[in-house]
Amino acid sequence: HYGRGHPIPYHSVVVVMECNREAAEDCLSIALRCLQELDRAVRASTSASSNDATLAALADKVDRMLSKAHRLYPALNGLPEAKERLDTLIRMRKKKEQQARAPQQKEEMSSSSASSSSSSASSQTRKPASTSTSSRPTSASSPPPPSSSSSSSAASPEPPQFTAEDQAAVMRILKATNYYEVLGVEKGSTEKELSKVYRKLAVLCHPDKNKHPKAQDAFK
């Protein structure tokens, strides 16, 4: 252990670098073996869905081994070439996927165009039937005249749903000029009397109970 102010000897640095170089070479050798397997798998694949999991796992393993080797010994020979080979295989795989999807996309486009043409043709064949139906006399399809009973029931107004007491309370509140007139009490009333009259008036003028059109304004 070397404390502050004590430089690490040069031979220790050399030993550490050599150990890192050996570990980086091991990682590179593993990556190269996986690259060979990946190359064979990419060249043998004939469709976009063949061995997708295997190819993805091999590519990921190669990338991890190359990254580890670069961290351990960046100047290791063969790292740039292996990385470039990995990128080439990935591009080759993507190109094969596009080539495999091209016939399927072409077939989907042809089927969609055929379905659209068939639907347009069927709509054109249905047009004469619509014109023939429109040429029929309109007297048969015209609705019957409304009966006198229905017209009289629609014309008769509904009876009001509020009582005379509801109307009197609402009108008195709306015409009041001060709070005493609103409550309908004298100015000398006690607090208990005011509270009692207020609760009674609030229930009487509540819009849920009082159906007068101006009940809500009076309640406010």
Side-chain angles (χ1 to χ4, degrees):
H1 176 71
Y2 294 89
R4 181 180 299 177
H6 296 79
I8 300 176
Y10 176 76
H11 68 275
S12 300
V13 175
V14 172
V15 169
V16 172
M17 293 295 293
E18 288 299 322
C19 292
N20 289 348
R21 181 174 182 175
E22 293 177 358
E25 289 176 350
D26 293 339
C27 293
L28 180 60
S29 63
I30 295 172
L32 292 176
R33 288 197 300 270
C34 294
L35 273 175
Q36 293 178 357
E37 296 180 11
L38 181 62
D39 191 358
R40 289 194 296 269
V42 168
R43 296 181 187 278
S45 62
T46 56
S47 63
S49 61
S50 60
N51 300 326
D52 277 343
T54 305
L55 295 176
L58 284 173
D60 182 66
K61 187 174 182 179
V62 172
D63 186 61
R64 285 189 289 107
M65 289 296 103
L66 292 179
S67 299
K68 186 175 181 180
H70 185 269
R71 287 197 304 270
L72 291 171
Y73 200 83
L76 184 65
N77 293 329
L79 275 178
E81 293 81 3
K83 181 64 176 174
E84 184 178 357
R85 187 178 176 187
L86 175 62
D87 295 339
T88 303
L89 290 175
I90 292 175
R91 288 195 298 268
M92 186 184 301
R93 176 58 181 167
K94 290 182 178 179
K95 186 177 180 180
K96 282 198 170 189
E97 288 179 355
Q98 293 176 357
Q99 292 175 353
R101 291 195 185 99
Q104 184 180 1
Q105 293 177 353
K106 187 176 181 181
E107 183 180 356
E108 290 177 355
M109 290 176 63
S110 60
S111 62
S112 63
S113 62
S115 62
S116 61
S117 61
S118 62
S119 62
S120 61
S122 61
S123 63
Q124 289 177 0
T125 55
R126 285 195 297 267
K127 282 183 180 180
S130 61
T131 54
S132 62
T133 54
S134 62
S135 62
R136 294 177 183 176
T138 57
S139 60
S141 60
S142 59
S147 60
S148 59
S149 61
S150 60
S151 60
S152 62
S153 61
S156 59
E158 296 182 357
Q161 300 179 356
F162 54 88
T163 63
E165 184 182 3
D166 296 339
Q167 183 178 5
V170 170
M171 300 309 295
R172 180 173 57 83
I173 292 174
L174 294 177
K175 291 179 180 180
T177 57
N178 54 59
Y179 294 117
Y180 293 100
E181 292 182 3
V182 169
L183 297 176
V185 296
E186 298 179 355
K187 293 185 179 181
S189 301
T190 62
E191 183 178 357
K192 185 176 180 180
E193 293 174 349
L194 293 175
S195 177
K196 182 178 178 181
V197 174
Y198 174 79
R199 286 195 299 268
K200 181 179 179 181
L201 192 60
V203 173
L204 181 61
C205 294
H206 197 281
D208 293 341
K209 184 179 178 183
N210 194 329
K211 301 302 180 181
H212 193 275
K214 296 183 179 181
Q216 189 172 2
D217 297 336
F219 183 76
K220 292 178 180 180

